[in-house]
Amino acid sequence: MDKFSFLNAAHSQLIEDLYQQYLRYPDSLEPSWKAFFQGFDFALENYGDESSENTSVSANSSEKVVKFANQSASSGQIPDDIQREFKVLNLIEAYRHRGHLFTNTNPVRQRRHYEPTLAIENFGLTQADLTRKFNSATEIGMPGAATLQDIVKRLKNIYCESIGVEYMHINNTDEKLYIRKWLQVNENRAQLNASEKTEILGKLNQAVAFENYLHTKFVGQKRFSLEGGESLIPALDQLITRSSQHGVDEVVLGMAHRGRLNVLTNIFGKSYKQIFSEFEGKEFEEDVFSGDVKYHLGSSKKIKTANGEEVSINLTPNPSHLETVAALVEGICRAKVDDTYHDYKKVLPIVIHGDGAIAGQGIVYEVAQMMTLEGYKTGGTVHIVINNQVSFTTNYLDARSSIYCTDIAKVTESPVMHVNADDVEAVVHAIRFAADFRAQFGKDVYIDLLGYRKYGHNEGDEPRFTQPNLYKAISKHPNPREIYKEVLIKEGIVSDEVLKKMESEFKNLLDADYDASKEIEKNAMAIFMEDAWKDFPLCPRGAMQNSVDTGFDLKMLKELAVKMTTLPADKKFISKITRLFENRLKMIESNSLDWALGEWLAYATLLTEGKNVRISGEDVERGTFSHRHAMVKTEDTEEEYIPLRHISESRFDIYNSHLSEYGVLGFDYGYAMASPNTLTIWEAQFGDFVNGAQIIIDQYLAAAEEKWKIQNGLVMLLPHGFEGQGAEHSSARLERFLGLCANENMTVANATTPANYFHLLRRQLKWNFRKPLVVMTPKSLLRHPKVVSPLEDFATGTFQPIIDDAVANPKKIEKLILCSGKIYYELLAKKEELNCENIALVRLEQLYPLQQDKIEEILSKYSSRTQLVWVQEEPENMGAWAYILRNFRDTGIQVIAPVASGSPAPGSHKMFERNQNNVINRVFDRDDAPAKRPVTA
């Protein structure tokens, strides 16, 4: 260790404080300090100007004295007593930096050994120094000079007992000082009165007794028990109470399975009899819903805290896919801030992680990076890790390379508290810190709750197969209630008789509810966030097929179109932007609107009708293909101008996301879940990249209504179209979405005109229910001369799920072609080139749900046909063909498509052209050479 490494910024404050004390009361300092400062004054008086010039310090004498100390240190001129003072400061800094490595935080294992230790000898101090007094004691909140022995004792109490604190990675000085002062109060221990301690014991008793009861009544059933981490229940109770005192009105909680049933009953107040009934595996009341396992279900409730504040609390439903729910929690909270509270301090996101999951799942990083992003921030999240020290059967040493599972916190400079879950008062203390810090700074906080898992991953597992020694120790280990009970008996706060009564009364309550659960015939599924959805009844079967009026007054449409495409004259934009907006005005004048204008009009009309619009995703402000330009910047100052914010009082938000699909799609799904009157849109940069978010699609988008009765109107825009750009820029994997479609769970569309797209988007909020919408949006068609619509098509009518061939004579048609999307225009170009009259081109604009009555009408209309063919640009094993075949199985339909392939598209542009040309030629029974086309987006 460098002899004088202690002279850093952390010690500057002490030097300055002592110098100011010397100036006022010189005799109050120890002789060595007094002599040191006298030497400084002498140097300043005799060599002040030279010293100032050489050391480049300001005229401030406090700054100079620190510089003088540095110079003295480097030249070895500091007296021995003062050198020792700085060595003590070095020791203090070491405790702040590394004290968390030497704590009593692990209830069932020995801690790993780290070197160097915090022994005083490692800092140039000796046993003889233990009785010396040091002014450095004021650095750790002591009122004045204290012996090294007392300083070390205080440091151990603050940093090395049941709580290990990591905060020195934070660069913000205010945050660091706040934490330091917070920890020094009562030596980082909870200050609880008898009533609070009794209340905590009561919550612990509920948590422990509930798990014991389930274990005896439902032997071998999966419940993912909280045993070993029961202190989570008083922790959550205290977090909600403390946060409500900071102004929080609503809490949104996300967690995995472990401990979920305990949280549902003992925090959310779900009746024990309902839980017991679900253990019996009864069917749900509504046959249309498949429901879900008991440890995936959500809940919403209003509760009163111990202090009398009313708080809305929500436990978000979640699948088995670890950490997925975290993104939804953030989205739900942001929607509540935007729609209701308009204050980040009013809504608290809490995410409960497993130790293996927080270290192992990539979405944790994606969500962590949202913390301060303008479009995704929520004012700070409290992360609680139920640290079992084992993931299923994997030991922690095999589960991560980092020291702690919470090391993700360092990415966002968030504080971490590692807490022994057996010490419930330390847990409560850490939780109170989390509430206080989050309220003060609006940042994430991590609580690492170190406990154990009493049984295997589920109660049917044998954990001794893989951790025999650990489970030998766990089998003999008392639970947190028994540990805390003994503490309170010793303190004289509760008696053994009172405890027995508490346990007996709770057991009787569970028995009564267990008997009552037998009377329940079918289980009922509560609706998550029911208040937000009271005006949106679940969609009756067939209602998605009903026509909805999505038109808009023609005169107002034109006024809106002009208003939103006219840039302010007092702002200077780059010439390309100015020309682009001028061209849009010309489109309006010529009554020929392109895709981007059609989209803008959908948003503008909804905004004027009092709805809100939110769009997010990678590069959505400009649009990946430079078509949207929803936000433009002035040339000189880069001031942002968003035209759609200037047409209505309603909220139009558009945000370029960070480079995340999984996390951001989950966030926006959560946002739509909490904001049914907002058109919430997530756009993929290329549709192909949506597979990075497949878990959200599979577990929520497709299945949430059947599993949890949850509606959601999220719109996914997925640029899709085979343009010769290779395997990763062609296909949004339409086949995957169609394979997930059933029971009218979503809409899948591939619109081909701006007006139809306009009506499709407006229909999302015109329905009195909500369904996810997946749109295969175009790339080359964004500027295709034929992909335009007149204003009249926007003003009147409704979305057309199927567009018939407007010029075909049914009597002449021999081959009826069904297709969807971009390939229609390529087929149309060939048909017009050949002046072909025996082929009709019919577009399926909405692939799911299919409009069966219109299909029957079209098949009947072209009854003279000899062939019915589905044509697609995707390989035969991809795209819509398998889905079409399933739905047209009795029609003799055939397919024209590129050959089956393991890759969506070839990398060679020439091969792509050959494949595409082959498809078109086969439709028209031709063998023409490929026409030359430019490589497009």
Side-chain angles (χ1 to χ4, degrees):
M1 189 177 289
D2 181 357
K3 188 176 180 184
F4 296 111
S5 63
F6 48 75
L7 283 174
N8 57 34
H11 309 124
S12 302
Q13 188 63 49
L14 180 69
I15 299 170
E16 289 182 24
D17 291 346
L18 289 172
Y19 182 60
Q20 293 302 324
Q21 184 181 340
Y22 161 77
L23 291 175
R24 292 194 300 271
Y25 314 108
D27 292 333
S28 66
L29 289 184
E30 290 183 351
S32 55
W33 276 112
K34 184 177 176 182
F36 175 76
F37 291 126
Q38 284 173 337
F40 168 70
D41 283 350
F42 177 80
L44 191 65
E45 185 178 334
N46 291 280
Y47 310 106
D49 292 342
E50 181 185 338
S51 172
S52 178
E53 186 179 321
N54 291 342
T55 57
S56 303
V57 298
S58 70
N60 184 293
S61 58
S62 290
E63 292 181 7
K64 286 184 178 181
V65 74
V66 175
K67 291 288 185 182
F68 179 76
N70 273 288
Q71 288 178 333
S72 300
S74 60
S75 62
Q77 294 172 0
I78 289 185
D80 184 60
D81 283 355
I82 296 178
Q83 287 190 34
R84 269 200 292 268
E85 193 80 63
F86 284 121
K87 289 171 182 175
V88 174
L89 276 174
N90 216 21
L91 174 68
I92 291 169
E93 280 297 284
Y95 269 90
R96 289 169 177 164
H97 276 281
R98 302 180 67 248
H100 57 86
L101 297 172
F102 306 98
T103 56
N104 297 318
T105 50
N106 201 317
V108 290
R109 295 187 200 255
Q110 287 294 316
R111 286 218 58 167
R112 284 179 279 182
H113 185 72
Y114 295 96
E115 290 286 351
T117 68
L118 298 175
I120 60 172
E121 289 78 9
N122 288 329
F123 300 88
L125 297 162
T126 67
Q127 293 296 309
D129 292 318
L130 288 171
T131 54
R132 289 178 186 269
K133 284 196 170 183
F134 293 92
N135 285 283
S136 310
T138 59
E139 265 288 285
I140 56 173
M142 299 178 90
T147 65
L148 179 59
Q149 187 170 300
D150 288 340
I151 290 171
V152 170
K153 182 181 178 185
R154 182 171 170 84
L155 285 170
K156 284 182 177 177
N157 286 341
I158 293 172
Y159 293 106
C160 298
E161 289 300 323
S162 292
I163 300 176
V165 188
E166 289 186 278
Y167 70 101
M168 295 304 284
H169 56 278
I170 297 172
N171 287 313
N172 184 295
T173 305
D174 291 339
E175 292 173 16
K176 210 149 42 176
L177 288 175
Y178 175 91
I179 296 169
R180 186 177 299 171
K181 288 176 182 175
W182 203 99
L183 297 175
Q184 288 170 180
V185 175
N186 201 39
E187 296 189 343
N188 199 20
R189 283 176 163 79
Q191 291 175 297
L192 303 167
N193 59 39
S195 174
E196 289 173 318
K197 292 185 177 190
T198 306
E199 185 185 335
I200 290 167
L201 179 63
K203 277 292 174 189
L204 263 185
N205 181 60
Q206 289 177 358
V208 172
F210 176 69
E211 295 291 0
N212 288 342
Y213 197 85
L214 291 179
H215 191 63
T216 55
K217 291 292 184 183
F218 303 100
V219 178
Q221 279 213 44
K222 286 184 184 180
R223 58 190 166 91
F224 298 100
S225 84
L226 189 57
E227 286 158 289
E230 292 99 330
S231 51
L232 174 72
I233 299 303
L236 282 176
D237 184 57
Q238 289 284 322
L239 178 56
I240 294 167
T241 297
R242 184 79 159 208
S243 297
S244 70
Q245 293 171 319
H246 288 303
V248 167
D249 290 331
E250 187 153 7
V251 171
V252 182
L253 173 63
M255 66 182 296
H257 333 319
R258 186 153 313 283
R260 189 183 196 87
L261 300 180
N262 216 311
V263 168
L264 278 167
T265 53
N266 294 317
I267 299 295
F268 282 79
K270 184 171 182 176
S271 71
Y272 298 112
K273 71 177 180 181
Q274 197 172 343
I275 293 280
F276 297 152
S277 179
E278 288 168 3
F279 266 96
E280 299 290 348
K282 298 170 187 173
E283 292 181 0
F284 287 93
E285 287 174 348
E286 300 90 342
D287 292 335
V288 69
F289 295 105
S290 57
D292 201 357
V293 290
K294 51 197 169 290
Y295 40 80
H296 286 176
L297 303 179
S299 180
S300 294
K301 186 150 187 180
K302 282 187 178 168
I303 62 166
K304 271 203 172 175
T305 68
N307 293 329
E309 286 104 347
E310 190 174 81
V311 182
S312 296
I313 56 176
N314 307 278
L315 177 60
T316 313
N318 69 284
S320 289
H321 294 65
L322 301 169
E323 301 295 332
T324 299
V325 76
L328 275 80
V329 166
E330 304 299 338
I332 291 168
C333 288
R334 179 56 180 265
K336 289 181 177 292
V337 169
D338 288 350
D339 289 351
T340 307
Y341 297 103
H342 313 293
D343 182 353
Y344 291 110
K345 290 190 174 183
K346 295 289 185 184
V347 185
L348 172 65
I350 304 172
V351 180
I352 301 176
H353 310 264
D355 53 312
I358 193 173
Q361 294 291 304
I363 192 174
V364 177
Y365 183 87
E366 294 182 34
V367 173
Q369 284 288 13
M370 294 176 179
M371 187 180 77
T372 59
L373 300 184
E374 189 58 36
Y376 307 91
K377 63 185 179 184
T378 55
T381 300
V382 175
H383 300 265
I384 305 174
V385 181
I386 302 177
N387 192 338
N388 302 308
Q389 308 184 59
V390 59
S391 309
F392 201 168
T393 66
T394 304
N395 282 314
Y396 69 96
L397 290 171
D398 297 318
R400 61 181 184 267
S401 296
S402 57
I403 292 177
Y404 295 115
C405 62
T406 51
D407 282 346
I408 185 72
K410 295 180 174 68
V411 170
T412 52
E413 295 188 15
S414 298
V416 185
M417 282 196 165
H418 307 279
V419 197
N420 189 322
D422 274 359
D423 187 342
V424 68
E425 289 191 8
V427 172
V428 166
H429 190 59
I431 280 292
R432 288 180 172 181
F433 164 78
D436 292 354
F437 183 87
R438 189 262 179 186
Q440 182 72 22
F441 296 104
K443 285 182 65 174
D444 290 7
V445 188
Y446 290 76
I447 305 296
D448 180 14
L449 201 61
L450 274 121
Y452 52 92
R453 188 187 66 194
K454 187 173 180 181
Y455 302 106
H457 175 66
N458 61 62
E459 286 64 32
D461 283 343
E462 175 50 83
R464 287 175 298 178
F465 286 154
T466 46
Q467 285 88 17
N469 290 330
L470 174 62
Y471 275 87
K472 199 178 292 179
I474 288 172
S475 66
K476 300 171 186 173
H477 196 78
N479 65 53
R481 179 189 65 183
E482 298 308 309
I483 293 169
Y484 195 48
K485 183 168 78 173
E486 292 304 316
V487 170
L488 296 193
I489 288 173
K490 281 180 185 174
E491 291 180 1
I493 288 173
V494 294
S495 66
D496 207 30
E497 291 73 28
V498 169
L499 289 167
K500 282 177 182 173
K501 185 182 177 188
M502 180 191 290
E503 292 170 19
S504 174
E505 285 177 351
F506 191 64
K507 168 72 164 53
N508 292 338
L509 171 66
L510 293 175
D511 282 336
D513 272 21
Y514 179 73
D515 292 338
S517 71
K518 302 291 186 183
E519 305 301 317
I520 299 174
E521 290 185 14
K522 286 191 174 184
N523 291 324
M525 196 187 303
I527 295 178
F528 180 63
M529 293 191 300
E530 190 169 9
D531 286 351
W533 289 90
K534 61 180 183 296
D535 297 328
F536 300 90
L538 287 161
C539 172
R541 184 61 61 89
M544 288 180 75
Q545 300 284 16
N546 297 339
S547 182
V548 181
D549 182 6
T550 49
F552 197 83
D553 180 76
L554 180 60
K555 183 183 175 187
M556 286 181 65
L557 260 180
K558 189 161 187 177
E559 289 173 359
L560 276 176
V562 171
K563 188 174 182 180
M564 68 188 188
T565 52
T566 303
L567 292 172
D570 61 339
K571 298 182 190 296
K572 187 175 186 294
F573 300 92
I574 65 170
S575 55
K576 279 189 176 181
I577 287 294
T578 305
R579 282 199 305 274
L580 187 145
F581 275 73
E582 286 171 353
N583 288 336
R584 286 183 173 177
L585 283 169
K586 289 175 184 175
M587 286 183 200
I588 297 163
E589 289 167 15
S590 63
N591 200 19
S592 182
L593 280 64
D594 68 359
W595 191 272
L597 266 177
E599 181 183 311
W600 269 40
L601 274 177
Y603 305 149
T605 54
L606 288 170
L607 291 167
T608 59
E609 291 170 342
K611 308 296 187 186
N612 299 316
V613 177
R614 174 191 165 91
I615 309 172
S616 95
E618 294 153 20
D619 310 301
V620 295
E621 291 174 359
R622 188 200 76 176
T624 297
F625 310 106
S626 201
H627 76 287
R628 183 173 291 122
H629 296 288
M631 187 275 290
V632 291
K633 290 187 178 182
T634 57
E635 186 170 13
D636 300 325
T637 63
E638 293 196 0
E639 176 193 348
E640 293 184 355
Y641 179 74
I642 298 177
L644 284 166
R645 285 190 179 164
H646 298 272
I647 62 163
S648 162
E649 293 299 311
S650 296
R651 201 176 63 250
F652 177 80
D653 292 324
I654 185 162
Y655 300 107
N656 285 344
S657 73
H658 56 313
L659 206 64
S660 153
E661 288 86 34
Y662 186 4
V664 174
L665 181 60
F667 182 100
D668 285 325
Y669 183 91
Y671 195 102
M673 185 188 280
S675 189
N677 275 314
T678 299
L679 182 68
T680 306
I681 297 173
W682 176 77
E683 182 176 65
Q685 191 177 59
F686 283 85
D688 313 61
F689 304 160
V690 74
N691 55 17
Q694 196 67 41
I695 288 171
I696 300 293
I697 295 159
D698 291 348
Q699 309 308 320
Y700 282 102
L701 198 86
E705 189 170 333
E706 283 196 38
K707 291 195 292 187
W708 307 310
K709 265 193 185 177
I710 286 177
Q711 298 186 69
N712 196 294
L714 178 73
V715 178
M716 291 173 58
L717 304 182
L718 309 180
H720 171 94
F722 286 60
E723 325 274 3
Q725 285 294 291
E728 274 74 56
H729 297 85
S730 298
S731 176
R733 300 289 194 171
L734 174 62
E735 63 277 4
R736 291 182 181 168
F737 290 97
L738 294 176
L740 292 169
C741 290
N743 299 327
E744 298 182 355
N745 59 339
M746 67 175 106
T747 303
V748 178
N750 194 356
T752 57
T753 74
N756 218 25
Y757 183 46
F758 166 90
H759 291 294
L760 177 65
L761 290 175
R762 282 178 53 77
R763 188 179 69 173
Q764 277 299 98
L765 294 193
K766 290 294 181 181
W767 273 333
N768 66 344
F769 53 84
R770 295 289 178 262
K771 297 281 184 178
L773 167 62
V774 179
V775 189
M776 303 285 122
T777 55
K779 294 178 285 184
S780 61
L781 298 191
L782 295 173
R783 295 174 182 83
H784 195 290
K786 282 187 179 287
V787 185
V788 290
S789 300
L791 276 166
E792 289 76 11
D793 286 1
F794 297 92
T796 59
T798 183
F799 174 69
Q800 299 178 67
I802 299 175
I803 301 179
D804 195 359
D805 192 323
V807 298
N809 181 344
K811 293 178 181 176
K812 294 183 179 180
I813 298 307
E814 298 170 3
K815 188 184 289 187
L816 176 57
I817 301 296
L818 303 181
C819 63
S820 185
K822 175 180 77 74
I823 199 163
Y824 163 76
Y825 288 100
E826 295 170 336
L827 294 171
L828 178 63
K830 193 70 174 179
K831 181 181 176 182
E832 290 175 345
E833 176 195 323
L834 299 174
N835 196 24
C836 177
E837 294 185 333
N838 67 337
I839 290 178
L841 302 177
V842 175
R843 285 169 274 176
L844 299 189
E845 300 279 286
Q846 179 175 289
L847 288 152
Y848 186 85
L850 283 170
Q851 193 180 23
Q852 292 293 349
D853 56 345
K854 181 71 172 176
I855 289 171
E856 293 298 329
E857 181 187 313
I858 285 174
L859 292 179
S860 178
K861 175 183 174 182
Y862 298 105
S863 57
S864 62
R865 72 183 188 278
T866 57
Q867 293 181 66
L868 176 63
V869 181
W870 171 257
V871 179
Q872 66 180 37
E873 54 188 347
E874 300 92 344
E876 188 176 319
N877 58 319
M878 300 178 189
W881 168 234
Y883 166 79
I884 292 294
L885 183 59
R886 192 167 73 247
N887 284 278
F888 287 76
R889 66 182 74 199
D890 298 324
T891 62
I893 194 168
Q894 298 299 310
V895 65
I896 293 176
V899 296
S901 170
S903 171
S908 159
H909 190 73
K910 285 188 177 179
M911 183 180 290
F912 155 74
E913 285 290 358
R914 192 163 63 244
N915 289 349
Q916 200 80 345
N917 191 65
N918 183 49
V919 167
I920 294 163
N921 277 340
R922 285 167 63 196
V923 171
F924 294 94
D925 299 315
R926 307 279 295 187
D927 192 20
D928 297 340
K932 283 196 174 181
R933 290 183 294 183
V935 179
T936 57

